[in-house]
Amino acid sequence: MNAGEQLSLWGLVSSASLLVQLVMLMLLLASVISWVMIIQRGTYLSRARKSLINFERRFWSGSDLNQLFRDGNAAAEKGKIDGVESLFRAGFTEFTRLRQQGKSSPAAVMEGTERAMRVAMSREQEKVEMNLPFLATVGSVSPYIGLFGTVWGIMNSFRGLATMHQATIATVAPGISEALVATAMGLFAAIPAVMAYNRYSAKAEWLLSSYETFAEEFSSILHRKVHAAS
């Protein structure tokens, strides 16, 4: 291998020590997985935001709650209901069931309804925040993993220099360069993960806050409804 090939990116990776190569492979896998999750999370959060806006527009348009519930039956049977509509369906289903029993007081009806919405809210929170901890981990740990590979590679280079009678830049450069590739890969994996985590965390917080606001407003509507009927 000539000097040009040795200092090429592939040459630096292929000539690195086994441990440094394992570090590079780990960082490459982390980067690929994080990019898959970044795309998936971006798609899901955008869809959830549109779903929230569309459902709230229908909800506050004055539509009958029973009709609004029936409109979502087809999608619910296919398992395509999520987001704020799942809170609505969980709360309205429990509200209707308790009222049809005719034995529960208004306070008991509202307690059961709010409990059903809290359970649905917990499920939606899991969906919204899915994969965010992994992105946070990649963003915080990858630079240190890359730095470990760099330190190990530099140590190997200096150990090799100890056996040489005369050290030159030409003999030191390949070892130092291959070690620095690990740091570069660590940053390459970390920077997109950190940016995506910060952006998606803000979006997730906004969605969950909107879900909680809707649940409170919907609970108030049902509260007036059950007390008016009683």
Side-chain angles (χ1 to χ4, degrees):
M1 183 181 295
N2 57 43
E5 293 176 346
Q6 190 176 11
L7 290 177
S8 66
L9 181 59
W10 175 248
L12 293 173
V13 173
S14 60
S15 61
S17 64
L18 179 60
L19 182 60
V20 176
Q21 287 180 341
L22 290 175
V23 168
M24 293 178 182
L25 179 61
M26 185 186 305
L27 293 171
L28 179 62
L29 290 175
S31 178
V32 171
I33 295 173
S34 64
W35 271 108
V36 171
M37 291 182 177
I38 287 170
I39 295 172
Q40 290 178 342
R41 284 294 85 198
T43 302
Y44 176 82
L45 293 175
S46 296
R47 188 172 66 246
R49 181 178 182 277
K50 291 179 182 178
S51 176
L52 170 65
I53 294 173
N54 291 334
F55 182 80
E56 285 195 328
R57 184 183 297 115
R58 287 186 289 136
F59 182 85
W60 295 112
S61 65
S63 301
D64 180 67
L65 296 181
N66 291 287
Q67 183 60 44
L68 188 62
F69 183 84
R70 287 193 293 270
D71 290 342
N73 285 341
E77 291 175 357
K78 298 178 182 178
K80 294 183 178 180
I81 293 294
D82 59 3
V84 70
E85 190 168 358
S86 67
L87 270 67
F88 165 76
R89 294 187 67 83
F92 193 72
T93 299
E94 186 67 11
F95 177 80
T96 304
R97 184 184 69 81
L98 292 174
R99 286 190 67 190
Q100 288 175 348
Q101 289 179 354
K103 300 177 182 179
S104 302
S105 64
V109 171
M110 290 309 304
E111 183 180 352
T113 300
E114 291 171 356
R115 183 169 57 249
M117 285 195 289
R118 284 196 299 269
V119 172
M121 181 68 181
S122 297
R123 292 175 181 155
E124 293 307 311
Q125 184 174 1
E126 290 178 1
K127 293 179 184 178
V128 169
E129 295 178 347
M130 185 182 296
N131 297 331
L132 291 183
F134 179 84
L135 292 177
T137 301
V138 171
S140 60
V141 172
S142 293
Y144 296 103
I145 296 177
L147 183 61
F148 170 75
T150 297
V151 171
W152 186 268
I154 292 175
M155 286 171 57
N156 284 338
S157 297
F158 280 112
R159 275 203 301 266
L161 289 177
T163 62
M164 297 181 181
H165 298 290
Q166 184 177 3
T168 63
I169 294 297
T171 58
V172 176
I176 302 297
S177 298
E178 71 188 31
L180 292 175
V181 170
T183 296
M185 293 185 67
L187 295 175
F188 180 78
I191 292 173
V194 170
M195 293 177 65
Y197 173 79
N198 291 335
R199 180 175 177 81
Y200 294 161
S201 292
K203 285 187 174 183
E205 185 177 352
W206 179 83
L207 278 173
L208 294 176
S209 177
S210 299
Y211 292 169
E212 290 177 357
T213 301
F214 172 83
E216 292 175 0
E217 293 172 339
F218 184 45
S219 179
S220 298
I221 292 174
L222 296 180
H223 186 273
R224 292 193 297 268
K225 190 178 182 68
V226 71
H227 280 82
S230 62

